[in-house]
Amino acid sequence: MLDPQLLRSNLQDVADRLVPRGFALDVARIEALEEQRKTVQIRTEALQAERNAISKSIGQAKQRGEDIAPLMANVESTGGQLSENKAALDEIQTELEAILLGIPNLPNESVPVGEHEDGSVEVRRWGTPRIFDFEIKDHAALGGKSGWVDFETAAKLSGARFSLLRGPIACLHRALAQFMINLHTSEHGYEEAYTPYMMRAPALQSTGQLPTFEEDLFKIACEGQDDLYLIPTSEVPLTNLAAGRILDAEQLPLKFVAHTPSFSSEAGASGRDTRAMLRLYQFDMVELVQIVEPSNSMGVLEDLTANAEKVLQLLGLPYRILALCTGDLPFSAVKTHDLEVWIPSQENYRKVSSCSNCGDFQARRMQARFRNPETGKPELVHTLNGSALAVGRTLVAVMENYQQADGSIRVPDVLKQYMGGMDIISCGR
């Protein structure tokens, strides 16, 4: 969340900076609540002091043998008023906190201004899309003939927007995840983690999914205990590894990678890319998270993006990088790079990764801090996350970019060791 002190001291400036995000901050309501808070807080403190003074007088009157009944009545009346004021103050604070939790992060000054995704700016491209001398098949057609990509059975089992992979395509999916994990741990310095797939609400509030995006989450009601949510990505558990901690500066950066399923109902995405494997309720993700000292977090964003790029480069998949504009920026991010991989059947680039710097936005929510060695005082860390990569979408890109005229799929060289040396996946059985 944003710094409450920033809102109190520069409310209109914050509102102006949020306009390019398409977010209208209710300045009048916040100002009214702040005035109420100040009034009630002053009154509460006065009543507390008054009650303390009366309590002291009661002790003195007892020592003198005086009648304390009037003082007791007075302290009871004051106590009642104090309780009412505390309740009113709690109510105001609760509303202010609810407003604060719904405010997105402030864009970094380097973020391009734009209302929607069309305003994002292409940063660079890598690779050249292959020119096919035969009719291109999409991944559903390539895998559907053999039954190795089966949406019909998945729909019978679970409903729409699920997939079932079998045989060498399932193996290729697993190989991609293994390749990514091994690359990030052996060459990029990340520590592998295996995390829970279900989280309590405070963890998702810490990373910004709750309360704003609750409709996009799958919730599991648990009788007699806290409800649980299926994770949208392992960003949630990995980032929360720093929650409530004061880290030594020497411990930073913390760099984690995890391969997990991800679950998203994407309630706002109805009708978009719902065919085949591009937008599913369940998909696999290899997620990178870094928890860093604040001074160079923008440089870390470039490093994290490069880590994701390396996966695509080694796979030989053409891609481009976009700097997302203000109107397309994720809720918690100050700056985001999207990586889009070339999908031949669509003759277009499609997102396969988002790499974001969240600044201290998530850290403030979860009170994740480090001790500044110069001052000795705790300060908020910065958090970054990025998919490196979305496994299912990478699978789509590999299948389509490496397809052959007979419907078979060549296995990229870097994946052969994970597939028992297999060179070709023949999809025409």
Side-chain angles (χ1 to χ4, degrees), residues 173-174 176-182 184 233-235 238 256-262 283-289 308 311 352-354 386-392 394:
H173 184 271
R174 173 173 53 81
L176 281 164
Q178 287 182 277
F179 160 64
M180 294 175 196
I181 286 285
N182 287 351
H184 297 313
T233 76
S234 56
E235 169 201 351
L238 293 177
F256 299 112
V257 60
H259 167 219
T260 66
S262 299
F283 48 96
D284 276 31
M285 193 84 76
V286 172
E287 188 78 8
L288 306 178
V289 163
V311 177
V352 73
S353 169
S354 278
S387 41
L389 303 164
V391 181
T394 308

PDB file of all heavy atoms in Angstrom, residues 173-174 176-182 184 233-235 238 256-262 283-289 308 311 352-354 386-392 394:
ATOM      1  N   HIS A 173       5.938 -30.470 -21.664  1.00  0.00           N
ATOM      2  CA  HIS A 173       5.513 -29.483 -20.665  1.00  0.00           C
ATOM      3  C   HIS A 173       6.383 -29.583 -19.416  1.00  0.00           C
ATOM      4  O   HIS A 173       6.882 -28.573 -18.891  1.00  0.00           O
ATOM      5  CB  HIS A 173       4.034 -29.738 -20.335  1.00  0.00           C
ATOM      6  CG  HIS A 173       3.422 -28.749 -19.396  1.00  0.00           C
ATOM      7  ND1 HIS A 173       3.454 -28.917 -18.025  1.00  0.00           N
ATOM      8  CD2 HIS A 173       2.759 -27.585 -19.617  1.00  0.00           C
ATOM      9  CE1 HIS A 173       2.828 -27.906 -17.442  1.00  0.00           C
ATOM     10  NE2 HIS A 173       2.405 -27.077 -18.387  1.00  0.00           N
ATOM     11  N   ARG A 174       6.597 -30.804 -18.946  1.00  0.00           N
ATOM     12  CA  ARG A 174       7.438 -31.016 -17.759  1.00  0.00           C
ATOM     13  C   ARG A 174       8.886 -30.622 -18.041  1.00  0.00           C
ATOM     14  O   ARG A 174       9.560 -30.011 -17.207  1.00  0.00           O
ATOM     15  CB  ARG A 174       7.374 -32.486 -17.328  1.00  0.00           C
ATOM     16  CG  ARG A 174       8.343 -32.838 -16.207  1.00  0.00           C
ATOM     17  CD  ARG A 174       8.121 -34.261 -15.711  1.00  0.00           C
ATOM     18  NE  ARG A 174       8.143 -35.252 -16.749  1.00  0.00           N
ATOM     19  CZ  ARG A 174       9.248 -35.780 -17.289  1.00  0.00           C
ATOM     20  NH1 ARG A 174      10.440 -35.359 -16.883  1.00  0.00           N
ATOM     21  NH2 ARG A 174       9.166 -36.706 -18.234  1.00  0.00           N
ATOM     22  N   LEU A 176      10.012 -28.358 -20.060  1.00  0.00           N
ATOM     23  CA  LEU A 176      10.139 -26.905 -20.046  1.00  0.00           C
ATOM     24  C   LEU A 176      10.296 -26.382 -18.620  1.00  0.00           C
ATOM     25  O   LEU A 176      11.156 -25.536 -18.351  1.00  0.00           O
ATOM     26  CB  LEU A 176       8.912 -26.261 -20.707  1.00  0.00           C
ATOM     27  CG  LEU A 176       8.910 -26.281 -22.242  1.00  0.00           C
ATOM     28  CD1 LEU A 176       7.517 -25.985 -22.785  1.00  0.00           C
ATOM     29  CD2 LEU A 176       9.927 -25.287 -22.795  1.00  0.00           C
ATOM     30  N   ALA A 177       9.458 -26.878 -17.709  1.00  0.00           N
ATOM     31  CA  ALA A 177       9.536 -26.419 -16.322  1.00  0.00           C
ATOM     32  C   ALA A 177      10.881 -26.794 -15.701  1.00  0.00           C
ATOM     33  O   ALA A 177      11.512 -25.974 -15.007  1.00  0.00           O
ATOM     34  CB  ALA A 177       8.386 -27.003 -15.507  1.00  0.00           C
ATOM     35  N   GLN A 178      11.339 -28.019 -15.945  1.00  0.00           N
ATOM     36  CA  GLN A 178      12.628 -28.452 -15.397  1.00  0.00           C
ATOM     37  C   GLN A 178      13.777 -27.616 -15.951  1.00  0.00           C
ATOM     38  O   GLN A 178      14.680 -27.208 -15.211  1.00  0.00           O
ATOM     39  CB  GLN A 178      12.867 -29.930 -15.714  1.00  0.00           C
ATOM     40  CG  GLN A 178      12.027 -30.892 -14.902  1.00  0.00           C
ATOM     41  CD  GLN A 178      12.362 -32.331 -15.250  1.00  0.00           C
ATOM     42  OE1 GLN A 178      11.857 -32.881 -16.228  1.00  0.00           O
ATOM     43  NE2 GLN A 178      13.228 -32.940 -14.467  1.00  0.00           N
ATOM     44  N   PHE A 179      13.733 -27.361 -17.243  1.00  0.00           N
ATOM     45  CA  PHE A 179      14.761 -26.547 -17.877  1.00  0.00           C
ATOM     46  C   PHE A 179      14.807 -25.155 -17.258  1.00  0.00           C
ATOM     47  O   PHE A 179      15.882 -24.624 -16.937  1.00  0.00           O
ATOM     48  CB  PHE A 179      14.483 -26.474 -19.380  1.00  0.00           C
ATOM     49  CG  PHE A 179      15.155 -25.323 -20.070  1.00  0.00           C
ATOM     50  CD1 PHE A 179      16.538 -25.241 -20.140  1.00  0.00           C
ATOM     51  CD2 PHE A 179      14.389 -24.313 -20.652  1.00  0.00           C
ATOM     52  CE1 PHE A 179      17.156 -24.169 -20.781  1.00  0.00           C
ATOM     53  CE2 PHE A 179      15.000 -23.242 -21.283  1.00  0.00           C
ATOM     54  CZ  PHE A 179      16.381 -23.173 -21.352  1.00  0.00           C
ATOM     55  N   MET A 180      13.645 -24.541 -17.082  1.00  0.00           N
ATOM     56  CA  MET A 180      13.591 -23.193 -16.513  1.00  0.00           C
ATOM     57  C   MET A 180      14.146 -23.164 -15.089  1.00  0.00           C
ATOM     58  O   MET A 180      14.958 -22.304 -14.732  1.00  0.00           O
ATOM     59  CB  MET A 180      12.152 -22.673 -16.532  1.00  0.00           C
ATOM     60  CG  MET A 180      11.565 -22.447 -17.904  1.00  0.00           C
ATOM     61  SD  MET A 180       9.805 -21.965 -17.791  1.00  0.00           S
ATOM     62  CE  MET A 180       9.262 -22.236 -19.482  1.00  0.00           C
ATOM     63  N   ILE A 181      13.678 -24.094 -14.267  1.00  0.00           N
ATOM     64  CA  ILE A 181      14.141 -24.144 -12.872  1.00  0.00           C
ATOM     65  C   ILE A 181      15.658 -24.331 -12.811  1.00  0.00           C
ATOM     66  O   ILE A 181      16.371 -23.634 -12.066  1.00  0.00           O
ATOM     67  CB  ILE A 181      13.438 -25.276 -12.108  1.00  0.00           C
ATOM     68  CG1 ILE A 181      11.981 -24.898 -11.796  1.00  0.00           C
ATOM     69  CG2 ILE A 181      14.182 -25.608 -10.816  1.00  0.00           C
ATOM     70  CD1 ILE A 181      11.820 -23.886 -10.678  1.00  0.00           C
ATOM     71  N   ASN A 182      16.177 -25.281 -13.592  1.00  0.00           N
ATOM     72  CA  ASN A 182      17.614 -25.540 -13.575  1.00  0.00           C
ATOM     73  C   ASN A 182      18.420 -24.331 -14.041  1.00  0.00           C
ATOM     74  O   ASN A 182      19.496 -24.037 -13.498  1.00  0.00           O
ATOM     75  CB  ASN A 182      17.943 -26.758 -14.446  1.00  0.00           C
ATOM     76  CG  ASN A 182      17.510 -28.056 -13.795  1.00  0.00           C
ATOM     77  OD1 ASN A 182      17.126 -28.089 -12.642  1.00  0.00           O
ATOM     78  ND2 ASN A 182      17.567 -29.145 -14.560  1.00  0.00           N
ATOM     79  N   HIS A 184      17.562 -21.113 -13.803  1.00  0.00           N
ATOM     80  CA  HIS A 184      17.522 -20.022 -12.824  1.00  0.00           C
ATOM     81  C   HIS A 184      18.324 -20.354 -11.565  1.00  0.00           C
ATOM     82  O   HIS A 184      18.882 -19.453 -10.934  1.00  0.00           O
ATOM     83  CB  HIS A 184      16.074 -19.689 -12.464  1.00  0.00           C
ATOM     84  CG  HIS A 184      15.274 -19.186 -13.622  1.00  0.00           C
ATOM     85  ND1 HIS A 184      15.740 -18.216 -14.477  1.00  0.00           N
ATOM     86  CD2 HIS A 184      14.031 -19.518 -14.077  1.00  0.00           C
ATOM     87  CE1 HIS A 184      14.821 -17.974 -15.409  1.00  0.00           C
ATOM     88  NE2 HIS A 184      13.784 -18.751 -15.188  1.00  0.00           N
ATOM     89  N   THR A 233      -0.233 -17.111  -8.485  1.00  0.00           N
ATOM     90  CA  THR A 233       1.120 -17.539  -8.851  1.00  0.00           C
ATOM     91  C   THR A 233       1.870 -17.725  -7.536  1.00  0.00           C
ATOM     92  O   THR A 233       1.404 -17.300  -6.470  1.00  0.00           O
ATOM     93  CB  THR A 233       1.906 -16.517  -9.712  1.00  0.00           C
ATOM     94  OG1 THR A 233       2.368 -15.454  -8.878  1.00  0.00           O
ATOM     95  CG2 THR A 233       1.060 -15.960 -10.838  1.00  0.00           C
ATOM     96  N   SER A 234       3.077 -18.285  -7.611  1.00  0.00           N
ATOM     97  CA  SER A 234       3.854 -18.459  -6.383  1.00  0.00           C
ATOM     98  C   SER A 234       4.502 -17.148  -5.929  1.00  0.00           C
ATOM     99  O   SER A 234       5.233 -17.133  -4.943  1.00  0.00           O
ATOM    100  CB  SER A 234       4.922 -19.547  -6.551  1.00  0.00           C
ATOM    101  OG  SER A 234       5.769 -19.263  -7.646  1.00  0.00           O
ATOM    102  N   GLU A 235       4.228 -16.046  -6.636  1.00  0.00           N
ATOM    103  CA  GLU A 235       4.598 -14.725  -6.114  1.00  0.00           C
ATOM    104  C   GLU A 235       4.089 -14.554  -4.693  1.00  0.00           C
ATOM    105  O   GLU A 235       4.768 -13.972  -3.847  1.00  0.00           O
ATOM    106  CB  GLU A 235       4.009 -13.628  -7.004  1.00  0.00           C
ATOM    107  CG  GLU A 235       4.114 -12.222  -6.418  1.00  0.00           C
ATOM    108  CD  GLU A 235       3.121 -11.249  -7.025  1.00  0.00           C
ATOM    109  OE1 GLU A 235       2.457 -11.593  -8.027  1.00  0.00           O
ATOM    110  OE2 GLU A 235       2.985 -10.140  -6.486  1.00  0.00           O
ATOM    111  N   LEU A 238       6.116 -16.816  -2.086  1.00  0.00           N
ATOM    112  CA  LEU A 238       7.531 -16.460  -2.114  1.00  0.00           C
ATOM    113  C   LEU A 238       7.777 -15.069  -1.539  1.00  0.00           C
ATOM    114  O   LEU A 238       8.704 -14.859  -0.751  1.00  0.00           O
ATOM    115  CB  LEU A 238       8.077 -16.538  -3.543  1.00  0.00           C
ATOM    116  CG  LEU A 238       8.156 -17.928  -4.169  1.00  0.00           C
ATOM    117  CD1 LEU A 238       8.645 -17.839  -5.610  1.00  0.00           C
ATOM    118  CD2 LEU A 238       9.048 -18.858  -3.352  1.00  0.00           C
ATOM    119  N   PHE A 256      14.276 -16.095  -5.043  1.00  0.00           N
ATOM    120  CA  PHE A 256      13.568 -17.372  -4.995  1.00  0.00           C
ATOM    121  C   PHE A 256      12.971 -17.703  -6.352  1.00  0.00           C
ATOM    122  O   PHE A 256      12.541 -16.816  -7.098  1.00  0.00           O
ATOM    123  CB  PHE A 256      12.440 -17.330  -3.961  1.00  0.00           C
ATOM    124  CG  PHE A 256      12.895 -17.064  -2.547  1.00  0.00           C
ATOM    125  CD1 PHE A 256      12.573 -15.878  -1.914  1.00  0.00           C
ATOM    126  CD2 PHE A 256      13.654 -18.003  -1.859  1.00  0.00           C
ATOM    127  CE1 PHE A 256      12.995 -15.626  -0.610  1.00  0.00           C
ATOM    128  CE2 PHE A 256      14.079 -17.765  -0.561  1.00  0.00           C
ATOM    129  CZ  PHE A 256      13.745 -16.570   0.060  1.00  0.00           C
ATOM    130  N   VAL A 257      12.918 -18.992  -6.646  1.00  0.00           N
ATOM    131  CA  VAL A 257      12.221 -19.485  -7.829  1.00  0.00           C
ATOM    132  C   VAL A 257      11.380 -20.686  -7.424  1.00  0.00           C
ATOM    133  O   VAL A 257      11.803 -21.505  -6.597  1.00  0.00           O
ATOM    134  CB  VAL A 257      13.202 -19.861  -8.960  1.00  0.00           C
ATOM    135  CG1 VAL A 257      14.175 -20.962  -8.521  1.00  0.00           C
ATOM    136  CG2 VAL A 257      12.454 -20.302 -10.223  1.00  0.00           C
ATOM    137  N   ALA A 258      10.194 -20.788  -7.999  1.00  0.00           N
ATOM    138  CA  ALA A 258       9.322 -21.935  -7.719  1.00  0.00           C
ATOM    139  C   ALA A 258       8.515 -22.278  -8.954  1.00  0.00           C
ATOM    140  O   ALA A 258       8.119 -21.394  -9.729  1.00  0.00           O
ATOM    141  CB  ALA A 258       8.388 -21.636  -6.545  1.00  0.00           C
ATOM    142  N   HIS A 259       8.282 -23.560  -9.131  1.00  0.00           N
ATOM    143  CA  HIS A 259       7.386 -24.052 -10.174  1.00  0.00           C
ATOM    144  C   HIS A 259       6.122 -24.547  -9.496  1.00  0.00           C
ATOM    145  O   HIS A 259       6.170 -25.486  -8.687  1.00  0.00           O
ATOM    146  CB  HIS A 259       8.055 -25.191 -10.958  1.00  0.00           C
ATOM    147  CG  HIS A 259       7.117 -25.959 -11.832  1.00  0.00           C
ATOM    148  ND1 HIS A 259       7.188 -27.323 -11.994  1.00  0.00           N
ATOM    149  CD2 HIS A 259       6.067 -25.554 -12.585  1.00  0.00           C
ATOM    150  CE1 HIS A 259       6.241 -27.726 -12.811  1.00  0.00           C
ATOM    151  NE2 HIS A 259       5.541 -26.672 -13.175  1.00  0.00           N
ATOM    152  N   THR A 260       5.007 -23.897  -9.782  1.00  0.00           N
ATOM    153  CA  THR A 260       3.728 -24.274  -9.171  1.00  0.00           C
ATOM    154  C   THR A 260       2.617 -24.158 -10.207  1.00  0.00           C
ATOM    155  O   THR A 260       2.756 -23.446 -11.201  1.00  0.00           O
ATOM    156  CB  THR A 260       3.354 -23.349  -7.992  1.00  0.00           C
ATOM    157  OG1 THR A 260       3.101 -22.024  -8.492  1.00  0.00           O
ATOM    158  CG2 THR A 260       4.455 -23.304  -6.946  1.00  0.00           C
ATOM    159  N   PRO A 261       1.500 -24.834  -9.944  1.00  0.00           N
ATOM    160  CA  PRO A 261       0.299 -24.480 -10.698  1.00  0.00           C
ATOM    161  C   PRO A 261      -0.175 -23.108 -10.256  1.00  0.00           C
ATOM    162  O   PRO A 261       0.117 -22.657  -9.142  1.00  0.00           O
ATOM    163  CB  PRO A 261      -0.697 -25.581 -10.311  1.00  0.00           C
ATOM    164  CG  PRO A 261      -0.233 -26.062  -8.979  1.00  0.00           C
ATOM    165  CD  PRO A 261       1.250 -25.905  -8.969  1.00  0.00           C
ATOM    166  N   SER A 262      -0.874 -22.439 -11.131  1.00  0.00           N
ATOM    167  CA  SER A 262      -1.471 -21.147 -10.829  1.00  0.00           C
ATOM    168  C   SER A 262      -2.951 -21.227 -11.176  1.00  0.00           C
ATOM    169  O   SER A 262      -3.346 -21.896 -12.132  1.00  0.00           O
ATOM    170  CB  SER A 262      -0.802 -20.036 -11.650  1.00  0.00           C
ATOM    171  OG  SER A 262       0.573 -19.940 -11.339  1.00  0.00           O
ATOM    172  N   PHE A 283      -2.958 -23.289 -14.764  1.00  0.00           N
ATOM    173  CA  PHE A 283      -1.791 -23.308 -15.631  1.00  0.00           C
ATOM    174  C   PHE A 283      -0.559 -23.327 -14.748  1.00  0.00           C
ATOM    175  O   PHE A 283      -0.605 -22.974 -13.572  1.00  0.00           O
ATOM    176  CB  PHE A 283      -1.762 -22.085 -16.551  1.00  0.00           C
ATOM    177  CG  PHE A 283      -1.997 -20.778 -15.837  1.00  0.00           C
ATOM    178  CD1 PHE A 283      -0.938 -19.991 -15.421  1.00  0.00           C
ATOM    179  CD2 PHE A 283      -3.295 -20.343 -15.569  1.00  0.00           C
ATOM    180  CE1 PHE A 283      -1.149 -18.797 -14.748  1.00  0.00           C
ATOM    181  CE2 PHE A 283      -3.522 -19.143 -14.896  1.00  0.00           C
ATOM    182  CZ  PHE A 283      -2.445 -18.373 -14.473  1.00  0.00           C
ATOM    183  N   ASP A 284       0.559 -23.744 -15.320  1.00  0.00           N
ATOM    184  CA  ASP A 284       1.804 -23.824 -14.557  1.00  0.00           C
ATOM    185  C   ASP A 284       2.657 -22.586 -14.803  1.00  0.00           C
ATOM    186  O   ASP A 284       2.671 -22.031 -15.903  1.00  0.00           O
ATOM    187  CB  ASP A 284       2.595 -25.073 -14.936  1.00  0.00           C
ATOM    188  CG  ASP A 284       2.119 -26.301 -14.162  1.00  0.00           C
ATOM    189  OD1 ASP A 284       0.918 -26.346 -13.843  1.00  0.00           O
ATOM    190  OD2 ASP A 284       2.932 -27.187 -13.896  1.00  0.00           O
ATOM    191  N   MET A 285       3.384 -22.190 -13.772  1.00  0.00           N
ATOM    192  CA  MET A 285       4.230 -21.006 -13.855  1.00  0.00           C
ATOM    193  C   MET A 285       5.546 -21.270 -13.127  1.00  0.00           C
ATOM    194  O   MET A 285       5.562 -21.851 -12.040  1.00  0.00           O
ATOM    195  CB  MET A 285       3.524 -19.818 -13.202  1.00  0.00           C
ATOM    196  CG  MET A 285       4.169 -18.478 -13.491  1.00  0.00           C
ATOM    197  SD  MET A 285       3.613 -17.809 -15.071  1.00  0.00           S
ATOM    198  CE  MET A 285       1.972 -17.242 -14.625  1.00  0.00           C
ATOM    199  N   VAL A 286       6.632 -20.873 -13.740  1.00  0.00           N
ATOM    200  CA  VAL A 286       7.904 -20.769 -13.025  1.00  0.00           C
ATOM    201  C   VAL A 286       8.069 -19.301 -12.667  1.00  0.00           C
ATOM    202  O   VAL A 286       8.161 -18.450 -13.549  1.00  0.00           O
ATOM    203  CB  VAL A 286       9.080 -21.283 -13.871  1.00  0.00           C
ATOM    204  CG1 VAL A 286      10.408 -20.970 -13.177  1.00  0.00           C
ATOM    205  CG2 VAL A 286       8.948 -22.776 -14.103  1.00  0.00           C
ATOM    206  N   GLU A 287       8.059 -19.027 -11.380  1.00  0.00           N
ATOM    207  CA  GLU A 287       8.008 -17.642 -10.885  1.00  0.00           C
ATOM    208  C   GLU A 287       9.319 -17.270 -10.204  1.00  0.00           C
ATOM    209  O   GLU A 287       9.887 -18.054  -9.433  1.00  0.00           O
ATOM    210  CB  GLU A 287       6.856 -17.486  -9.887  1.00  0.00           C
ATOM    211  CG  GLU A 287       6.587 -16.059  -9.441  1.00  0.00           C
ATOM    212  CD  GLU A 287       5.834 -15.251 -10.477  1.00  0.00           C
ATOM    213  OE1 GLU A 287       5.390 -15.835 -11.490  1.00  0.00           O
ATOM    214  OE2 GLU A 287       5.677 -14.041 -10.264  1.00  0.00           O
ATOM    215  N   LEU A 288       9.781 -16.052 -10.503  1.00  0.00           N
ATOM    216  CA  LEU A 288      10.956 -15.481  -9.852  1.00  0.00           C
ATOM    217  C   LEU A 288      10.524 -14.371  -8.907  1.00  0.00           C
ATOM    218  O   LEU A 288       9.665 -13.555  -9.261  1.00  0.00           O
ATOM    219  CB  LEU A 288      11.924 -14.894 -10.881  1.00  0.00           C
ATOM    220  CG  LEU A 288      12.391 -15.787 -12.025  1.00  0.00           C
ATOM    221  CD1 LEU A 288      13.306 -15.008 -12.963  1.00  0.00           C
ATOM    222  CD2 LEU A 288      13.089 -17.025 -11.487  1.00  0.00           C
ATOM    223  N   VAL A 289      11.102 -14.347  -7.722  1.00  0.00           N
ATOM    224  CA  VAL A 289      10.854 -13.268  -6.756  1.00  0.00           C
ATOM    225  C   VAL A 289      12.194 -12.810  -6.195  1.00  0.00           C
ATOM    226  O   VAL A 289      13.044 -13.641  -5.854  1.00  0.00           O
ATOM    227  CB  VAL A 289       9.921 -13.732  -5.610  1.00  0.00           C
ATOM    228  CG1 VAL A 289       9.997 -12.775  -4.415  1.00  0.00           C
ATOM    229  CG2 VAL A 289       8.485 -13.827  -6.102  1.00  0.00           C
ATOM    230  N   ALA A 308      14.407 -13.804 -17.500  1.00  0.00           N
ATOM    231  CA  ALA A 308      13.279 -14.360 -18.251  1.00  0.00           C
ATOM    232  C   ALA A 308      13.595 -14.439 -19.739  1.00  0.00           C
ATOM    233  O   ALA A 308      13.262 -15.421 -20.419  1.00  0.00           O
ATOM    234  CB  ALA A 308      12.030 -13.511 -18.014  1.00  0.00           C
ATOM    235  N   VAL A 311      15.569 -17.565 -21.050  1.00  0.00           N
ATOM    236  CA  VAL A 311      14.805 -18.786 -21.316  1.00  0.00           C
ATOM    237  C   VAL A 311      14.389 -18.821 -22.786  1.00  0.00           C
ATOM    238  O   VAL A 311      14.568 -19.831 -23.483  1.00  0.00           O
ATOM    239  CB  VAL A 311      13.564 -18.868 -20.404  1.00  0.00           C
ATOM    240  CG1 VAL A 311      12.747 -20.111 -20.739  1.00  0.00           C
ATOM    241  CG2 VAL A 311      13.961 -18.886 -18.931  1.00  0.00           C
ATOM    242  N   VAL A 352       4.052 -13.943 -22.381  1.00  0.00           N
ATOM    243  CA  VAL A 352       4.517 -15.170 -21.749  1.00  0.00           C
ATOM    244  C   VAL A 352       5.156 -14.868 -20.397  1.00  0.00           C
ATOM    245  O   VAL A 352       5.481 -15.769 -19.632  1.00  0.00           O
ATOM    246  CB  VAL A 352       5.496 -15.902 -22.691  1.00  0.00           C
ATOM    247  CG1 VAL A 352       6.845 -15.183 -22.750  1.00  0.00           C
ATOM    248  CG2 VAL A 352       5.663 -17.356 -22.325  1.00  0.00           C
ATOM    249  N   SER A 353       5.332 -13.575 -20.091  1.00  0.00           N
ATOM    250  CA  SER A 353       5.932 -13.186 -18.813  1.00  0.00           C
ATOM    251  C   SER A 353       5.623 -11.731 -18.516  1.00  0.00           C
ATOM    252  O   SER A 353       5.534 -10.900 -19.429  1.00  0.00           O
ATOM    253  CB  SER A 353       7.453 -13.376 -18.854  1.00  0.00           C
ATOM    254  OG  SER A 353       8.072 -12.782 -17.726  1.00  0.00           O
ATOM    255  N   SER A 354       5.453 -11.429 -17.229  1.00  0.00           N
ATOM    256  CA  SER A 354       5.425 -10.051 -16.731  1.00  0.00           C
ATOM    257  C   SER A 354       6.452  -9.953 -15.623  1.00  0.00           C
ATOM    258  O   SER A 354       6.460 -10.775 -14.699  1.00  0.00           O
ATOM    259  CB  SER A 354       4.040  -9.687 -16.177  1.00  0.00           C
ATOM    260  OG  SER A 354       3.155  -9.324 -17.215  1.00  0.00           O
ATOM    261  N   GLY A 386       8.512 -11.915 -11.292  1.00  0.00           N
ATOM    262  CA  GLY A 386       8.360 -12.117 -12.724  1.00  0.00           C
ATOM    263  C   GLY A 386       8.173 -13.568 -13.063  1.00  0.00           C
ATOM    264  O   GLY A 386       8.759 -14.448 -12.438  1.00  0.00           O
ATOM    265  N   SER A 387       7.349 -13.842 -14.042  1.00  0.00           N
ATOM    266  CA  SER A 387       7.187 -15.214 -14.520  1.00  0.00           C
ATOM    267  C   SER A 387       8.303 -15.507 -15.513  1.00  0.00           C
ATOM    268  O   SER A 387       8.573 -14.705 -16.407  1.00  0.00           O
ATOM    269  CB  SER A 387       5.816 -15.408 -15.178  1.00  0.00           C
ATOM    270  OG  SER A 387       5.460 -14.288 -15.975  1.00  0.00           O
ATOM    271  N   ALA A 388       8.956 -16.642 -15.326  1.00  0.00           N
ATOM    272  CA  ALA A 388      10.105 -16.961 -16.187  1.00  0.00           C
ATOM    273  C   ALA A 388      10.202 -18.456 -16.467  1.00  0.00           C
ATOM    274  O   ALA A 388      11.156 -19.090 -16.096  1.00  0.00           O
ATOM    275  CB  ALA A 388      11.388 -16.452 -15.548  1.00  0.00           C
ATOM    276  N   LEU A 389       9.177 -19.015 -17.069  1.00  0.00           N
ATOM    277  CA  LEU A 389       8.089 -18.321 -17.743  1.00  0.00           C
ATOM    278  C   LEU A 389       6.761 -19.015 -17.425  1.00  0.00           C
ATOM    279  O   LEU A 389       6.735 -19.995 -16.667  1.00  0.00           O
ATOM    280  CB  LEU A 389       8.298 -18.380 -19.264  1.00  0.00           C
ATOM    281  CG  LEU A 389       9.600 -17.813 -19.809  1.00  0.00           C
ATOM    282  CD1 LEU A 389       9.829 -18.279 -21.240  1.00  0.00           C
ATOM    283  CD2 LEU A 389       9.639 -16.298 -19.752  1.00  0.00           C
ATOM    284  N   ALA A 390       5.688 -18.530 -18.049  1.00  0.00           N
ATOM    285  CA  ALA A 390       4.426 -19.261 -18.029  1.00  0.00           C
ATOM    286  C   ALA A 390       4.624 -20.528 -18.868  1.00  0.00           C
ATOM    287  O   ALA A 390       4.876 -20.450 -20.075  1.00  0.00           O
ATOM    288  CB  ALA A 390       3.307 -18.393 -18.608  1.00  0.00           C
ATOM    289  N   VAL A 391       4.534 -21.684 -18.212  1.00  0.00           N
ATOM    290  CA  VAL A 391       4.946 -22.930 -18.864  1.00  0.00           C
ATOM    291  C   VAL A 391       4.015 -23.295 -20.017  1.00  0.00           C
ATOM    292  O   VAL A 391       4.468 -23.669 -21.113  1.00  0.00           O
ATOM    293  CB  VAL A 391       5.017 -24.082 -17.841  1.00  0.00           C
ATOM    294  CG1 VAL A 391       5.474 -25.373 -18.523  1.00  0.00           C
ATOM    295  CG2 VAL A 391       5.954 -23.724 -16.698  1.00  0.00           C
ATOM    296  N   GLY A 392       2.707 -23.172 -19.803  1.00  0.00           N
ATOM    297  CA  GLY A 392       1.753 -23.548 -20.849  1.00  0.00           C
ATOM    298  C   GLY A 392       1.885 -22.708 -22.104  1.00  0.00           C
ATOM    299  O   GLY A 392       1.850 -23.226 -23.234  1.00  0.00           O
ATOM    300  N   THR A 394       4.547 -21.086 -23.034  1.00  0.00           N
ATOM    301  CA  THR A 394       5.823 -21.421 -23.655  1.00  0.00           C
ATOM    302  C   THR A 394       5.694 -22.718 -24.444  1.00  0.00           C
ATOM    303  O   THR A 394       6.263 -22.858 -25.535  1.00  0.00           O
ATOM    304  CB  THR A 394       6.922 -21.554 -22.593  1.00  0.00           C
ATOM    305  OG1 THR A 394       6.938 -20.384 -21.771  1.00  0.00           O
ATOM    306  CG2 THR A 394       8.283 -21.713 -23.239  1.00  0.00           C
TER     307      THR A 394
END
